[in-house]
């Protein structure tokens, strides 16, 4: 690795340690290095552990499951980079799903129109969150806990807790179909991720989002439209959650009121694993989705191993804690001799 | 015998010498005034007296013993900071004895009864109008101030009490009450250090005064026989250095008004009116808390105005919209570089380009080529020293951060620029670079407002100076024909201010 160590007379340092250190240093330096490294590691271990892991059937299962959580993760990651959080994303997804089901089945509207209305409604719910937070100067965490109750409650009022069956076949392709062997929801995720990642990296609005997350006062002093961008980000998160909700309906063929119940905490954990700071200003949606991939693989391998469902959340939660500790441990290891 | 003796104390921070061979001797039973302009070194000296700052050189003796060797001696110094820092939702007694383990109440459980009994002793001694069990947020501000003094004093038998501008939030009656307590404490043999900018307080309380200027002690004088004029001259330094001046050269057209502020009222100030002409540097003088930054931030839309309006070239700037003010061509550089200026998580490049991203777009996308060229141009022009543009801005020195921020503001080509304390915490070389930038911009026709607490800075750069005191403007002076004593008089609210322009 380092030439000096091989020169005669130079102080001998064990090259192995320095190369490991350099590798860790490079992974920490690259914002995505850590999460990509962890993902490859977990993928490799999974391949060794189970012969059923690296099969096209299993890969399709992982990809499809990932798509829904991934879409929600994108929106949550953008909000977290901005320094906000939305705990009502799951409720918005569920509400969008059942409203979609009702429009198609009970109202008999054109499925595609229903889908568009649902997405609009999701964006509207997000926008409402953003509007209340910015205009009433509320803390996003508290407000969205309340709004999660409102949206979730509206869902139960509308459905009385009963699933809406008989969703038209035209849209089931969106949830169940494969294109070139790849599940359609996963393709939708890739498209959304590409667009959002591009906006975050290469446009002024993306740069402003990082700036606001880094220092909101300074952003206002600079004349950045902080509140408008905040509201836009909440609307985006609502839109993506609604998209995940309606894709789930298409996949199940029924609009379950319980859709979205598990979409709140996993995306936040995924974003943190992927390098998004809970305090804002750091990370990327790509990293966050890779974090979701890690969680998805872990959950899959737990199933493949036939671990008792009661233990599943203990194991996956433990691994999440381990994964986020690794980054901080790696930094600590590097700084130990540096100072 | 002196209770506290400071000799030849020196303290420097990177780029600034805060204290340079300062001496101070405190006698028991005397009220000692600490006077000086902002940035003269008063707060660093106080921090040295209380043990918060360890000086680079010099000695601190408390009752004849070396306090730098034995830090426990500092417990004999009671210090009351300027801002209230009480726990508003807890009781008077709880506030007084926090942290409990230090005051002897920190057993497994806290006996409310014993604590309140002990507290009532101090409440009586300091004349606080409150019951020990009352919640602090429900007692008056002056009682809170007294409680803060009592809290500082109840730890040990203190020998020295330091009060840093204790009256800044008090009414005249409350001040009088506070002064009675202070004189009682003095008569009981306590040495008191009193920091204030208000002349009437200095003259009614003080026995001795030590004047600081630019981190050096000018001298210690008895208050007997001292006049207001003399003290002001000692504080400001009567001999203003005949150094380089940075006023814009060339004529200013009096009718070419860029900004007109009419009866603006907002947080902490009221009824402020003034005009800014093209090509002038308009100085704003005043003490900390006079409302200068608030006026600027309200004009700029960062705070909402209660009434009044700001006309930019005949068009009104909408209230509370920084984005509109910026779009119209106004830029504000805050005094709080850390809170309002830099984006700590972003790189130097991203920090600079943030204000001009719209100019770098090609089809809605940031063109990295354009970004690189604009950023490197700014870095060169404003002499920002960094090893790479990809470095996070927090790793740059304060002066280089400031130059990067000024460069960012300039890249927008503003027509009005507000500099709020642009040279705070910046070394002298960079200071002069910033003055030169201001001068050059003004000559190019930009209207500049310079808010500064340093008189020498205003005299060096401003063409006209507006003074503020207690949230109101107290005068407008032509720099060339006004002496510094008049200006200092106007910013400390002295009764006679002569209006020259």
């Amino acid at each position: 690795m380092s030439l000096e160590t091989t020169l005669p007379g130079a102080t001998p340092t064990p090259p192995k340690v320095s190369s490991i250190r350099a590798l860790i240093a490079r992974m920490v330096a690259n914002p995505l290095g850590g999460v990509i490294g962890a993902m490859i590691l977990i993928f490799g271990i999974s391949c060794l552990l189970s012969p059923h892991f690296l099969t096209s059937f299993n890969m399709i299962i992982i990809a499809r499951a990932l798509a829904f959580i991934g879409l929600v993760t994108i929106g949550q990651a953008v909000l977290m980079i901005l320094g906000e959080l939305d705990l009502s994303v799951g409720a918005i997804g569920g509400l969008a799903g059942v409203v979609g089901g009702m429009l198609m089945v009970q109202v008999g509207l054109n499925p595609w129109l229903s889908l568009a209305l649902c997405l609009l409604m999701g964006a509207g719910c997000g926008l409402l969150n953003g509007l209340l937070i910015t205009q009433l100067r509320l803390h996003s965490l508290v407000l969205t806990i309340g709004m999660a109750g409102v949206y979730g409650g509206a869902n139960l009022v509308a459905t009385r807790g009963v699933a809406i069956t008989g969703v038209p076949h035209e849209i089931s392709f969106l949830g169940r179909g494969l294109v070139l062997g790849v599940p359609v929801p996963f393709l939708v995720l890739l498209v959304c991720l590409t667009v959002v990642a591009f906006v975050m990296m290469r446009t002024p609005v993306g740069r402003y989002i990082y700036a606001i997350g880094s220092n909101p006062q300074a952003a206002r002093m600079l004349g950045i439209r902080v509140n408008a961008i905040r509201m836009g980000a909440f609307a985006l998160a609502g839109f993506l959650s609604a998209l995940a909700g309606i894709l789930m309906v298409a996949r199940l063929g029924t609009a379950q009121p319980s859709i979205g119940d598990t979409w709140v905490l996993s995306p936040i954990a995924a974003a943190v694993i992927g390098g998004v700071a809970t305090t804002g200003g750091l990370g990327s949606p790509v990293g966050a989705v890779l974090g979701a991939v890690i969680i998805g693989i872990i959950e899959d391998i737990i199933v493949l191993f036939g671990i008792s469902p009661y233990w599943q959340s203990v194991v996956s939660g433990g691994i999440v804690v381990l994964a986020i500790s690794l980054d901080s441990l790696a930094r600590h290891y590097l700084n130990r001799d540096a100072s | 015998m002196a209770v506290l003796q400071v000799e030849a104390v020196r303290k420097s921070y990177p780029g600034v010498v805060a204290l340079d061979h300062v001496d101070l001797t405190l006698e028991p039973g005397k009220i000692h005034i600490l006077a000086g302009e902002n940035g003269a070194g008063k707060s660093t000296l106080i921090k040295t007296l209380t043990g918060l700052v360890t000086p680079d050189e010099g000695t601190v003796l408390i009752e004849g013993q070396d306090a730098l060797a034995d830090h426990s001696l500092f417990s004999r110094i009671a210090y009351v900071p300027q801002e209230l820092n009480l726990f508003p939702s807890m009781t008077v007694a709880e506030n007084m004895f926090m942290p409990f383990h230090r005051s002897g109440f920190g057993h497994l459980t806290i006996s409310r009864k014993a604590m309140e009994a002990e507290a009532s002793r101090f409440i009586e001694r300091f004349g606080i109008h409150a019951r020990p069990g009352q919640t602090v947020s429900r007692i008056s501000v002056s009682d809170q101030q007294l409680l803060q003094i009592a809290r500082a004093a109840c730890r040990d038998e203190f020998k020295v009490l330091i009060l840093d501008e204790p009256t800044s939030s008090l009414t005249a009656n409350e001040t009088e009450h506070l002064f009675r307590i202070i004189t009682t404490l003095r008569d009981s043999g306590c040495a008191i250090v009193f920091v204030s900018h208000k002349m009437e307080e200095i003259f009614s309380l003080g026995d001795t005064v030590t004047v600081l200027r630019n981190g050096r002690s000018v001298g210690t004088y008895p208050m007997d026989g001292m006049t207001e004029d003399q003290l002001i001259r000692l504080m400001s330094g009567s001999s203003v250095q005949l150094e380089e001046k940075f006023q814009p050269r060339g004529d200013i057209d009096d009718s070419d008004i860029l900004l007109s502020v009419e009866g603006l009222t907002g947080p902490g100030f009221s009824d402020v009116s003034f005009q800014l002409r093209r090509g002038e540097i308009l100085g704003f003088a005043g003490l900390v808390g006079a409302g200068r930054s608030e006026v600027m931030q309200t004009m700029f839309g960062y705070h909402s105005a209660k009434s009044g309006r700001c006309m930019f070239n005949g068009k009104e700037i909408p209230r509370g919209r920084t984005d509109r003010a910026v779009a119209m061509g106004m830029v504000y550089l805050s005094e709080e570089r850390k809170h309002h200026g830099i984006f700590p998580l972003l790189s130097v490049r991203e920090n600079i380009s943030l204000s001009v991203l719209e100019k770098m777009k090609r089809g809605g996308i940031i063109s990295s080529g354009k970004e690189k060229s604009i950023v490197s141009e700014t870095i060169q022009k404003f002499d920002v020293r960094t090893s790479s543009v990809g470095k996070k801005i927090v790793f740059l020195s304060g002066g280089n951060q400031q130059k990067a921020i000024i460069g960012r503001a300039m890249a927008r080509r503003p027509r009005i620029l507000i500099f709020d304390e642009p040279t705070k915490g910046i070394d002298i070389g960079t200071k002069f670079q910033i003055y030169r930038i201001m001068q050059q911009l003004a000559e190019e026709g930009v209207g500049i407002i310079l808010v500064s607490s340093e008189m020498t800075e205003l005299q060096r750069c401003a063409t006209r100076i507006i003074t503020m005191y207690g949230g109101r403007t107290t005068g407008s002076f032509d720099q060339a024909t006004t002496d510094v004593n008049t200006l200092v008089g106007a910013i400390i609210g002295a009764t006679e201010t002569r209006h020259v322009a």
Side-chain angles (χ1 to χ4, degrees):
Chain A
M1 199 64 208
S2 50
L3 271 175
E4 305 90 274
T5 54
T6 61
L7 291 173
T11 343
T13 39
K16 202 175 179 186
V17 170
S18 74
S19 70
I20 290 170
R21 178 162 300 208
L23 185 69
I24 293 174
R26 217 185 299 158
M27 270 166 54
V28 172
N30 182 341
L32 290 181
V35 65
I36 290 174
M39 193 185 73
I40 292 169
L41 195 70
I42 288 171
F43 193 89
I45 292 172
S46 303
C47 290
L48 295 177
L49 284 179
S50 167
H52 306 293
F53 179 74
L54 196 59
T55 57
S56 67
F57 176 71
N58 190 43
M59 285 299 121
I60 287 172
I61 289 176
I62 292 179
R64 191 179 283 139
L66 176 70
F68 307 104
I69 288 285
L71 282 169
V72 181
T73 302
I74 295 173
Q76 195 71 277
V78 171
L79 283 174
M80 286 170 76
I81 293 168
L82 200 54
E84 306 283 337
L85 209 54
D86 190 338
L87 298 186
S88 69
V89 281
I92 293 176
L95 184 61
V98 299
V99 167
M102 289 168 81
L103 288 177
M104 287 182 249
V105 178
Q106 292 167 8
V107 184
L109 226 54
N110 174 302
W112 298 105
L113 181 64
S114 310
L115 190 141
L117 287 175
C118 277
L119 297 181
L120 215 60
M121 191 209 69
C125 290
L127 190 66
L128 179 63
N129 288 348
L131 205 70
L132 290 169
I133 286 161
T134 54
Q135 300 310 308
L136 301 178
R137 298 174 191 212
L138 300 171
H139 195 284
S140 60
L141 193 73
V142 183
L143 185 272
T144 55
I145 287 176
M147 293 311 277
V150 173
Y151 301 139
N155 178 337
L156 293 179
V157 168
T159 58
R160 297 178 184 276
V162 181
I164 298 156
T165 50
V167 172
H169 288 293
E170 287 104 306
I171 69 158
S172 66
F173 162 78
L174 286 178
R176 299 176 191 170
L178 294 174
V179 173
L180 302 171
V182 182
V184 174
F186 187 74
L187 291 174
V188 174
L189 170 70
L190 285 185
V191 170
C192 291
L193 181 61
T194 309
V195 171
V196 174
F198 185 80
V199 168
M200 290 297 279
M201 280 190 295
R202 298 295 303 275
T203 68
V205 170
R207 211 58 91 64
Y208 294 154
I209 289 172
Y210 282 100
I212 295 168
S214 177
N215 189 345
Q217 287 99 344
R220 258 197 85 201
M221 286 277 180
L222 211 57
I224 293 173
R225 300 187 60 187
V226 175
N227 281 348
I229 288 175
R230 276 196 185 133
M231 287 191 276
F234 275 101
L236 173 73
F239 174 87
L240 291 171
S241 305
L243 183 58
I246 203 79
L247 290 181
M248 189 56 116
V249 170
R251 186 189 157 201
L252 299 173
T254 58
Q256 302 272 4
S258 63
I259 289 173
D261 283 358
T262 57
W263 292 355
V264 180
L265 295 181
S266 296
I268 297 174
V272 172
I273 292 172
V276 177
T278 46
T279 45
L282 283 178
S284 73
V286 175
V289 170
L290 290 176
V293 173
I294 290 178
I295 294 181
I297 294 175
I298 291 167
E299 284 176 348
D300 180 74
I301 201 82
I302 288 170
V303 174
L304 288 184
F305 261 102
I307 295 173
S308 145
Y310 300 116
W311 278 98
Q312 278 179 20
S313 79
V314 175
V315 174
S316 68
I319 291 176
V320 165
V321 172
L322 189 71
I324 57 175
S325 310
L326 274 178
D327 185 59
S328 130
L329 285 174
R331 273 171 218 279
H332 189 75
Y333 171 72
L334 287 174
N335 290 339
R336 201 179 46 192
D337 310 86
S339 53
Chain B
M1 208 206 60
V3 214
L4 188 144
Q5 203 164 5
V6 171
E7 270 173 11
V9 156
R10 184 185 157 88
K11 178 75 195 175
S12 63
Y13 296 102
V16 223
V17 179
L19 291 177
D20 198 1
H21 291 92
V22 171
D23 302 317
L24 184 73
T25 305
L26 300 180
E27 312 260 342
K30 289 260 173 77
I31 296 178
H32 200 114
I33 307 283
L34 213 51
E37 293 182 340
N38 292 321
K42 294 188 303 271
S43 48
T44 312
L45 180 56
I46 289 175
K47 283 183 190 155
T48 312
L49 300 183
T50 52
L52 290 172
V53 160
T54 307
D56 305 334
E57 289 170 30
T59 54
V60 179
L61 298 177
I62 294 174
E63 295 189 292
Q65 290 167 276
D66 186 359
L68 296 177
D70 179 7
H71 251 257
S72 68
L73 289 166
F74 283 115
S75 66
R76 296 180 198 175
I77 316 284
Y79 167 52
V80 182
Q82 188 177 354
E83 297 90 23
L84 289 168
N85 53 357
L86 298 165
F87 302 95
S89 54
M90 299 179 88
T91 68
V92 171
E94 284 169 336
N95 266 281
M96 205 174 277
F97 298 115
M98 195 95 76
F100 302 124
H101 68 272
R102 284 240 311 262
S103 48
F105 291 100
H107 309 297
L108 203 56
T109 59
I110 294 164
S111 160
R112 177 171 283 258
K113 226 174 174 183
M115 198 164 67
E116 292 187 355
E118 179 73 4
S120 46
R121 265 186 48 213
F122 286 95
I123 286 176
E124 208 169 307
R125 185 173 171 199
F126 289 92
I128 305 170
H129 302 289
R131 283 175 285 107
Q134 233 173 337
T135 308
V136 161
S137 60
R138 294 176 166 247
I139 68 175
S140 74
V141 176
S142 68
D143 287 324
Q144 291 183 18
Q145 191 78 51
L146 287 171
L147 173 60
Q148 195 141 267
I149 296 173
R151 179 170 73 166
C154 74
R155 292 274 148 74
D156 284 289
E157 271 316 304
F158 65 99
K159 295 294 193 314
V160 178
L161 175 65
I162 303 173
L163 299 163
D164 191 356
E165 297 200 49
T167 63
S168 47
S169 51
L170 301 187
T171 64
N173 279 338
E174 292 169 342
T175 303
E176 213 171 286
H177 179 61
L178 176 69
F179 282 10
R180 273 200 299 276
I181 306 285
I182 294 174
T183 31
T184 317
L185 282 170
R186 172 191 61 186
D187 295 342
S188 70
C190 176
I192 290 166
V193 177
F194 190 84
V195 181
S196 175
H197 287 292
K198 296 181 185 162
M199 284 295 151
E200 65 263 43
E201 293 180 359
I202 292 175
F203 281 89
S204 77
L205 271 185
D207 297 308
T208 325
V209 60
T210 292
V211 179
L212 295 181
R213 195 197 314 140
N214 293 331
R216 293 164 187 268
S217 44
V218 176
T220 300
Y221 313 88
M223 286 302 291
D224 272 343
M226 172 77 76
T227 66
E228 202 168 305
D229 248 19
Q230 271 175 319
L231 186 56
I232 289 174
R233 203 162 300 146
L234 286 168
M235 282 162 65
S236 64
S238 50
S239 56
V240 174
Q241 291 90 336
L242 293 168
E243 287 172 57
E244 209 177 340
K245 291 265 188 179
F246 296 92
Q247 269 79 16
R249 291 155 293 205
D251 289 331
I252 293 160
D253 182 359
D254 273 359
S255 63
D256 198 355
I257 289 162
L258 211 51
L259 177 75
S260 165
V261 174
E262 297 158 19
L264 195 67
T265 299
F269 66 92
S270 57
D271 197 23
V272 169
S273 301
F274 67 90
Q275 292 179 328
L276 173 70
R277 298 172 196 116
R278 193 185 306 279
E280 80 173 336
I281 299 180
L282 177 61
F284 265 76
L287 300 171
V288 170
R292 295 165 300 162
S293 299
E294 288 78 5
V295 170
M296 300 306 147
Q297 289 170 7
T298 307
M299 258 163 47
F300 185 62
Y302 191 72
H303 299 303
S304 291
K306 290 198 192 91
S307 64
R309 54 186 198 155
C310 307
M311 308 294 289
F312 186 162
N313 248 355
K315 266 200 285 182
E316 185 164 356
I317 307 172
R319 283 184 195 172
R321 290 290 298 269
T322 52
D323 55 311
R324 297 287 295 278
V326 168
M328 288 169 91
M330 186 190 261
V331 167
Y332 173 73
L333 286 168
S334 172
E335 158 185 29
E336 303 280 345
R337 185 169 53 228
K338 220 163 112 196
H339 300 297
H340 294 157
I342 62 164
F343 296 89
L345 301 173
L346 304 188
S347 66
V348 176
R349 172 176 55 83
E350 288 164 323
N351 262 279
I352 290 176
S353 64
L354 211 46
S355 72
V356 278
L357 287 178
E358 306 295 333
K359 278 191 202 168
M360 299 169 177
K361 277 195 303 192
R362 194 177 286 152
I365 300 158
I366 300 167
S367 142
S368 51
K370 277 191 199 171
E371 182 177 16
K372 243 179 227 159
S373 76
I374 293 183
V375 168
S376 64
E377 197 182 299
T378 305
I379 281 180
Q380 224 163 34
K381 197 169 162 199
F382 293 92
D383 189 30
V384 181
R385 289 186 199 147
T386 172
S387 55
S388 110
V389 291
K391 208 169 169 180
K392 282 196 179 163
I393 195 160
V394 281
F395 296 126
L396 265 57
S397 73
N400 280 312
Q401 287 180 10
Q402 186 73 333
K403 283 189 279 185
I405 293 172
I406 291 177
R408 170 173 80 194
M410 294 318 145
R412 281 200 76 97
R413 309 205 173 283
R415 296 165 64 203
I416 295 179
L417 238 168
I418 307 167
F419 283 97
D420 197 344
E421 305 278 7
T423 61
K424 191 174 162 188
I426 275 172
D427 62 87
I428 195 82
T430 312
K431 236 177 186 176
F432 277 62
Q433 278 182 317
I434 291 171
Y435 295 158
R436 237 165 257 130
I437 291 168
M438 281 198 287
Q439 183 185 27
Q440 194 191 336
L441 286 167
E443 284 168 4
E444 287 168 12
V446 177
I448 291 175
I449 296 178
L450 170 63
V451 177
S452 178
S453 295
E454 268 184 67
M455 269 309 161
T456 43
E457 180 164 292
L458 289 170
Q459 292 195 304
R460 206 168 265 158
C461 305
T463 42
R464 224 160 28 104
I465 296 168
I466 289 177
T467 52
M468 282 190 76
Y469 173 75
R472 287 173 184 277
T473 51
T474 52
S476 167
F477 304 91
D478 192 5
Q479 190 279 137
T481 57
T482 311
D483 71 337
V484 70
N485 296 339
T486 315
L487 291 172
V488 172
I491 66 168
I492 60 171
T495 37
E496 273 186 58
T497 52
R498 282 153 285 173
H499 284 236
V500 178

